Amino acid sequence: MEWSDNAHGAVSGGAARAANGSQRARQRALCIAALPEGDDLSELAELLRTAGVAVVGELVQRRERPHPNTYLGPGKVAEAKTAAQACDANLIVCDDELSARQERNLEQELGLPVVDRTTVILDIFAAHAGSAEGKLQVELAQLEYNMARMRGLWSHLERLGGGIGTRGPGETQIETDRRLARNRIAALRRRLEHVKGTRAVQRAERERAALPTVALVGYTNAGKSTLLNALTAAYGRGARAEVGVRDRLFHTLDPTTRTLRLSGRPYLLTDTVGFISKLPHQLVDAFAATLEETRRAELLVHVLDASAPEAKREIMQHAVEGTLEEIGAGESPRLLALNKADLLGEQARDELRLRHPDAVLVSAGTGAGLERLGERIERELAHTLRALDLLVPYADGGSLAELHELAGEVSREDTAEGVRVHALVPARLAERFAKFAVA
Ligand SMILES: Nc1nc2c(ncn2[C@@H]2O[C@H](COP(=O)(O)OP(=O)(O)OP(=O)(O)O)[C@@H](O)[C@H]2O)c(=O)[nH]1
Ligand SMILES: [Mg+2]
């Protein structure tokens, strides 16, 4: 193990856990946290790995509540200073969101730049944002976060010459003032409204198709994108470019929607941005438009990494449920998919089945359990379908083809008057066939 167990606040220096190869990382972080019993800093380390920052030491103080002025208690702050020198850190990273006052005081006492968890998450989002909308959303979130804490922040980041916390609006703000930042925020909001307008158009198109929609939601790195790829490979149609999958946090920021065919019937399946504990509020607000996809879905498949230790699993599950509440999707029908089952032994799988009798165990990686997941999705969405009994004239080949497209398997019988059809179609599209209805 590279770090000592810091339950008592000891600090290990030593080799940099360089995320970017063997060369000495530019940013070398000492991680600090005031945590109640049980938590650890492994997730922060993952976040930093994703952000390309090396973790060279950690220091945990066990306390229920952080110190209001300095986050850590006074004795621990002194310890942190020694520790930072011992492990040659040039950055302090805190596992919580710091108040402006805590951050300023800590920087003063420690003589090093201090960055908090929120800044790290915002920075990762900034680096991963791909679409125009995603970039605007992240910039807005960063600006709003920084607005609240305008102070000598930018000077130390300049010293560091880039790196975490410096991407995005940071550089431009160095010479600007609050008023300019506020103008920028207003401009970003307007542009987002505009982009949202086009999104609404796209959504309207999809709604015209009116297919039942499933959204994959879950903690970051749970395997949502892998599951989207696996499900659409198994139940999709035609070759589509795969959604990017990587063992890093917040890989997916822009929602992707694919068609899924269950019993031949089309459904829409959307991959969404991952959630995390202490997800910055600014991000939830900024991503409200994107998250609308989640709110509008008929079914949420909550993807949970079943291979994580139980305590971590519970934290992840609660974080996801809390975030769903926050975005107004708390009441949406939910199906729990326990993913990465391939990493578990038979006994662990049995325990999970007992604990979550309603969940489906799957492995997006190996494909195990996908069939059952498909069946469950279909069952949960049965209420979105309507059974039709129709008589379609032979001349109307177009309507018959459309029925096949929407209903998948269709039972048909040729009669003298036309084709008698019994089919299940999305309720919102049933109107189209009303003129063929037979009593
Ligand atoms: N062993 C195993 N690994 C998996 C499985 N599903 C996903 N993974 C791995 O888990 C990592 C994260 O997968 P993603 O699909 O990118 O996860 P995500 O939930 O989309 O993550 P974000 O977009 O970052 O929120 C990747 O390294 C995947 O290869 C699985 O069933 N078994
Ligand atoms: Mg993803």
Side-chain angles (χ1 to χ4, degrees):
M1 194 162 164
E2 280 156 285
W3 315 332
S4 65
D5 172 7
N6 290 305
H8 305 291
V11 168
S12 71
R17 218 172 97 99
N20 43 2
S22 55
Q23 96 245 51
R24 196 181 140 88
R26 194 162 38 82
Q27 286 189 295
R28 302 159 43 79
L30 170 70
C31 298
I32 60 167
L35 298 169
E37 216 54 53
D39 277 352
D40 65 25
L41 282 172
S42 55
E43 185 169 277
L44 183 62
E46 266 308 295
L47 285 167
L48 288 170
R49 182 177 72 85
T50 302
V53 175
V55 174
V56 292
E58 65 176 50
L59 184 141
V60 174
Q61 180 170 36
R62 295 293 169 196
R63 55 187 295 158
E64 274 311 311
R65 222 178 300 267
H67 191 285
N69 292 331
T70 49
Y71 184 71
L72 299 174
K76 268 290 183 267
V77 173
E79 224 177 278
K81 184 161 188 171
T82 321
Q85 280 161 0
C87 62
D88 191 23
N90 58 11
L91 180 71
I92 307 290
V93 182
C94 174
D95 194 33
D96 274 304
E97 186 166 314
L98 292 170
S99 69
R101 175 164 54 154
Q102 287 169 329
E103 198 169 299
R104 199 168 44 235
N105 287 337
L106 271 177
E107 285 190 344
Q108 235 154 41
E109 303 261 337
L110 298 175
L112 284 174
V114 174
V115 160
D116 68 2
R117 180 182 170 102
T118 301
T119 304
V120 176
I121 292 174
L122 289 172
D123 192 83
I124 294 172
F125 269 71
H128 293 187
S131 69
E133 185 178 15
K135 288 189 171 119
L136 289 173
Q137 286 165 329
V138 177
E139 188 180 349
L140 182 62
Q142 283 184 312
L143 262 176
E144 291 199 320
Y145 189 62
N146 292 338
M147 262 292 274
R149 44 187 54 221
M150 282 271 194
R151 68 227 121 103
L153 174 70
W154 313 111
S155 53
H156 72 64
L157 294 170
E158 261 180 318
R159 271 209 312 279
L160 271 174
I164 208 165
T166 62
R167 263 189 222 99
E171 297 101 314
T172 55
Q173 267 182 24
I174 295 168
E175 313 96 67
T176 57
D177 60 9
R178 269 173 194 276
R179 191 171 47 79
L180 285 180
R182 263 198 295 270
N183 289 346
R184 179 81 187 133
I185 286 176
L188 281 172
R189 286 235 173 83
R190 277 195 303 275
R191 278 171 60 191
L192 263 172
E193 273 308 308
H194 177 75
V195 180
K196 214 168 99 182
T198 25
R199 288 176 58 81
V201 172
Q202 292 166 358
R203 201 180 312 112
E205 267 162 33
R206 225 180 289 139
E207 260 167 6
R208 216 169 303 137
L211 299 175
T213 300
V214 184
L216 299 173
V217 297
Y219 212 77
T220 181
N221 219 39
K224 299 175 294 297
S225 300
T226 311
L227 191 57
L228 178 92
N229 287 335
L231 279 170
T232 47
Y235 303 110
R237 183 187 273 179
R240 289 294 299 268
E242 296 233 313
V243 175
V245 166
R246 255 186 85 180
D247 186 13
R248 63 175 200 178
L249 307 185
F250 301 118
H251 189 57
T252 307
L253 290 190
D254 302 311
T256 307
T257 300
R258 293 283 149 80
T259 311
L260 185 69
R261 285 189 178 268
L262 302 170
S263 302
R265 267 185 296 277
Y267 298 84
L268 296 180
L269 182 66
T270 300
D271 183 19
T272 62
V273 57
F275 300 155
I276 195 165
S277 304
K278 308 178 205 166
L279 186 68
H281 280 284
Q282 293 81 3
L283 274 179
V284 177
D285 288 349
F287 275 76
T290 313
L291 293 170
E292 219 167 290
E293 306 275 339
T294 307
R295 216 172 17 237
R296 306 174 75 91
E298 269 85 20
L299 177 68
L300 304 181
V301 173
H302 178 169
V303 185
L304 184 62
D305 180 352
S307 73
E310 186 179 335
K312 172 79 181 168
R313 230 169 40 227
E314 271 170 21
I315 291 171
M316 295 193 294
Q317 200 175 347
H318 285 140
V320 171
E321 276 158 13
T323 310
L324 287 175
E325 284 289 335
E326 206 175 331
I327 64 169
E331 305 294 314
S332 302
R334 210 76 62 79
L335 174 59
L336 186 63
L338 298 165
N339 190 34
K340 309 197 187 183
D342 57 294
L343 299 176
L344 300 172
E346 194 48 52
Q347 197 189 336
R349 283 201 286 264
D350 285 342
E351 277 167 20
L352 276 173
R353 282 191 195 101
L354 274 177
R355 177 177 283 264
H356 303 283
D358 282 337
V360 187
L361 266 171
V362 294
S363 166
T366 66
L370 288 187
E371 204 169 316
R372 244 176 61 71
L373 180 60
E375 285 164 15
R376 280 294 300 276
I377 292 175
E378 224 186 324
R379 204 190 315 156
E380 301 289 337
L381 290 176
H383 69 277
T384 64
L385 302 176
R386 181 169 321 153
L388 298 179
D389 283 300
L390 310 171
L391 179 66
V392 186
Y394 286 109
D396 199 343
S399 289
L400 278 174
E402 197 181 1
L403 260 179
H404 276 283
E405 175 68 21
L406 290 173
E409 290 148 32
V410 164
S411 66
R412 50 181 290 172
E413 186 193 337
D414 295 343
T415 70
E417 301 85 57
V419 191
R420 279 294 303 261
V421 179
H422 179 80
L424 275 173
V425 301
R428 284 186 295 228
L429 294 172
E431 261 322 290
R432 287 187 196 180
F433 304 101
K435 60 184 174 209
F436 305 125
V438 289

